[in-house]
Structures are given as structure tokens and as C-alpha cells.
Amino acid sequence: MAAQIGPEIKQVMIGEIHDYTWLQPGISSFLEALRAKYPKRQIVLVTEFLPRGKKNMRPARDWMRQANPEYETLFNEATRLGIRIKGLESNYIYFHTPPKMEIPGVTPEEEVNMWSTPEGMRVRNADWYQAIAEYRKEMPDALFVVYAGAAHLDYSYLSSLSRRFPREETFIGMVYPYVPDGKEIMTCDNIDEVLPALNTVKYLSWPSKDLRNLAGFDVRIKLPEPAKRETK
């Protein structure tokens, strides 16, 4: 995946399926490969899994360690690689639209479920875009790695965050669980539901960005669940 990210790319979108905690080491490996490819380029990890704000990120990371501790190792790896970390999620947008938030199509008094409705997804993506725009002013030449849930970044969705950026400057990678269970493969990938023949394909990369419109991504990688260690 890292090999396909050229110097013209300004933002890399990495989408995951939530609740598969063993995907994070794969994301760490990707960041390590990206740093090796661009040792002198400023890289910023911008993520759904930390709250947004201009304060020092250590308190936010302490908070996140309690909410989703599996991401802490990833954040530590990013820090080791010299990658700056910024949060995306607004603490005031979790459950409803705040009164003074100006979002097209949503009235100030209208409550929106931010977690399970298309409108809530659109509102959060719009807010995240504003956050990234603010960070971009501070770091105009940096390579931004936007790490969030796959549904936020899937290009085939009209409200996708990735659609708000120039196509030629944006790379979209998706990381999915690959879980063998006897002869069955359990996935959360909509592409697999439409095309079952792709069920066992661990890596998909398109020759043209035009295919992104339908698939929603440039590259898809399925990571196998690591073997469980024997307890002594």
C-alpha cells in the first residue's frame, strides 16, 4: 500500500472495520513503511479515535486509553516514528447538532443520531473536514494520514469525507478483517456481499482511480487474525 503513495499525495485515507482489535498492528506496519519511504516528510496522523482540540494531546490520549485502549499502542508507534497526532472527533457532536453549529441542511434545533444514520455520518464528516482544514493551515506541506471507520472514508458514499478532497491528491486504503472459520470466511465488506468470488482475496488494488467510484477505495487489504498465544 505504501509503495503506491506517490509524492503528489497530500492525504491518505485509511479506513478500518471497528471492533477488530488485531487490525491495529497492521496500521502500525503501514505507518512504519510510509515513514521509511518518506524519512524527511512531515507526516500527521489525524484520527477519529481521539477528540479534537488544540490542547496538548497527552490528556486526550489518557482519556482514549480508557475508552479504546487498543489504539494506545498504535499512537505510541506513531510517536516513535516522529508522526504528529491530531484528533478529529468533536466532544460536542456526539449525540446532537449543537445550537450554534452551522451545517447545511440541518437546523439548529434538529437532533441527529450521529452514530447510526446517514445524516449523522454526513454531519460528522463535515465537521471532520473543518478540523482537517484547520490543521492544514498549521502544516500546509504535511502528508496527512486520516485514520477512521471505513464508512466515513468510502468514496462510493456521497457524504464521504474523501470526496471533499481532490482525487489526484488523495489515496484511499481499506483494512478489513480476514477471519477463516473452517471453510467459511467471515467479513464485513460490502464488496464481498455483492461479489462472493472476491471473498478469499486478501489484497485488491485497482489500475485506475476511476474504479474508486464503485468500489470506494484504491486498495483493500484483509489482515488475518494472528494466532493466539498459548497461556502458561
Side-chain angles (χ1 to χ4, degrees):
M1 188 188 294
Q4 298 187 45
I5 298 173
E8 77 283 359
I9 298 298
K10 292 186 177 180
Q11 43 273 328
V12 177
M13 307 287 182
I14 300 296
E16 70 155 25
I17 299 296
H18 296 329
D19 301 323
Y20 289 85
T21 59
W22 41 266
L23 292 177
Q24 278 78 58
I27 304 298
S28 294
S29 296
F30 167 73
L31 293 178
E32 188 172 10
L34 199 60
R35 170 53 75 202
K37 183 173 183 177
Y38 294 111
K40 297 182 179 180
R41 189 172 183 182
Q42 185 180 28
I43 301 176
V44 183
L45 178 64
V46 190
T47 178
E48 169 187 2
F49 310 115
L50 283 175
R52 175 179 172 184
K54 295 184 178 180
K55 296 181 179 180
N56 186 285
M57 291 307 297
R58 177 57 61 178
R61 289 169 65 176
D62 291 342
W63 170 83
M64 198 60 183
R65 185 184 296 113
Q66 298 178 6
N68 289 292
E70 67 271 16
Y71 293 100
E72 181 64 18
T73 299
L74 172 65
F75 297 150
N76 288 337
E77 178 66 9
T79 301
R80 183 187 71 80
L81 294 169
I83 296 175
R84 194 170 179 180
I85 305 171
K86 290 284 190 178
L88 280 178
E89 199 75 270
S90 294
N91 58 10
Y92 56 77
I93 201 173
Y94 287 156
F95 301 110
H96 65 276
T97 304
K100 295 183 179 180
M101 189 172 185
E102 297 180 2
I103 298 178
V106 179
T107 64
E109 297 79 16
E110 181 181 359
E111 290 194 356
V112 176
N113 185 324
M114 297 296 174
W115 307 108
S116 59
T117 65
E119 179 61 12
M121 185 76 69
R122 185 187 71 81
V123 169
R124 287 172 70 205
N125 287 348
D127 184 61
W128 292 1
Y129 176 75
Q130 293 300 322
I132 294 172
E134 293 174 9
Y135 297 149
R136 179 62 75 181
K137 290 179 182 178
E138 181 183 353
M139 299 165 283
D141 299 321
L143 175 60
F144 279 36
V145 179
V146 182
Y147 178 36
H152 290 281
L153 309 178
D154 189 313
Y155 195 85
S156 66
Y157 297 170
L158 293 178
S159 65
S160 172
L161 178 64
S162 60
R163 281 181 174 262
R164 296 175 176 270
F165 297 91
R167 177 187 302 209
E168 64 276 6
E169 298 176 355
T170 306
F171 180 93
I172 305 173
M174 295 293 182
V175 178
Y176 289 97
Y178 181 87
V179 190
D181 182 16
K183 294 183 179 180
E184 300 294 328
I185 304 295
M186 298 181 294
T187 74
C188 301
D189 189 353
N190 291 332
I191 299 297
D192 289 339
E193 295 175 6
V194 177
L195 299 173
L198 299 179
N199 224 14
T200 57
V201 177
K202 296 182 181 180
Y203 181 90
L204 284 177
S205 179
W206 310 122
S208 169
K209 287 185 179 295
D210 292 337
L211 292 173
R212 176 195 297 177
N213 294 7
L214 297 176
F217 56 84
D218 294 309
V219 167
R220 183 193 71 181
I221 293 178
K222 288 188 180 179
L223 296 177
E225 183 176 11
K228 295 182 180 179
R229 297 181 180 179
E230 294 183 2
T231 57
K232 295 183 180 180

